[in-house]
Amino acid sequence: MAAALVGLELATGTFYLLMLALGMVGGALAAHLGAGFSLQLVVAGVLGSAAVVLWYLKRRQEPKAPGAAMDKNVNMDIGETVQVTQWEAEGKANVSYRGAIWRVELAEGAAAAPGSHTIVEVRGHHLIVKPL
């Protein structure tokens, strides 16, 4: 059963199936030690469930990776500089960037002032910027 779960995990990429496979290995060890079938199932269920819960809690504590719109490894525009000459009333402007006119918006909490701004996010065809 453990081998079947490992194979299924390889086919689907669901890491939680490996945790359940660990529980099955625990049940197999209980069988090797002479435990009855009911105890084997209990050991497999408890160990598998505990492994799934522990893995879930561990993954929950890890910091979230930035989305592609804010990840410099995915989007080459993040961290680049643009020059904003004039802001509109709603915190938007047009800038020339990479040979084209782009629509820029202020990042949340940023003040609208002309000058150099850093791109912090790309949403569709809008650049989200903050002052340098």
Side-chain angles (χ1 to χ4, degrees):
M1 289 175 79
L5 283 175
V6 169
L8 189 59
E9 189 280 330
L10 289 173
T12 63
T14 305
F15 196 77
Y16 290 103
L17 289 176
L18 287 180
M19 300 297 105
L20 294 176
L22 285 176
M24 294 298 176
V25 169
L29 289 175
H32 184 67
L33 295 173
F37 185 70
S38 296
L39 184 56
Q40 294 172 33
L41 290 177
V42 168
V43 168
V46 168
L47 287 178
S49 298
V52 166
V53 168
L54 289 174
W55 184 254
Y56 173 78
L57 292 175
K58 178 191 176 303
R59 294 279 299 167
R60 216 170 118 195
Q61 290 177 348
E62 292 177 0
K64 297 280 184 205
M70 300 176 76
D71 189 353
K72 183 156 179 67
N73 294 321
V74 175
N75 193 324
M76 69 181 195
D77 298 316
I78 305 300
E80 296 296 318
T81 303
V82 294
Q83 294 294 326
V84 178
T85 56
Q86 182 178 357
W87 287 100
E88 296 172 3
E90 63 272 359
K92 296 181 180 181
N94 292 324
V95 298
S96 178
Y97 174 66
R98 290 198 291 137
I101 301 298
W102 288 73
R103 191 76 168 153
V104 296
E105 298 178 19
L106 276 171
E108 190 173 323
S116 297
H117 289 71
T118 302
I119 300 170
V120 294
E121 183 178 354
V122 178
R123 290 187 203 144
H125 62 280
H126 288 209
L127 302 174
I128 311 304
V129 298
K130 69 177 183 179
L132 283 177

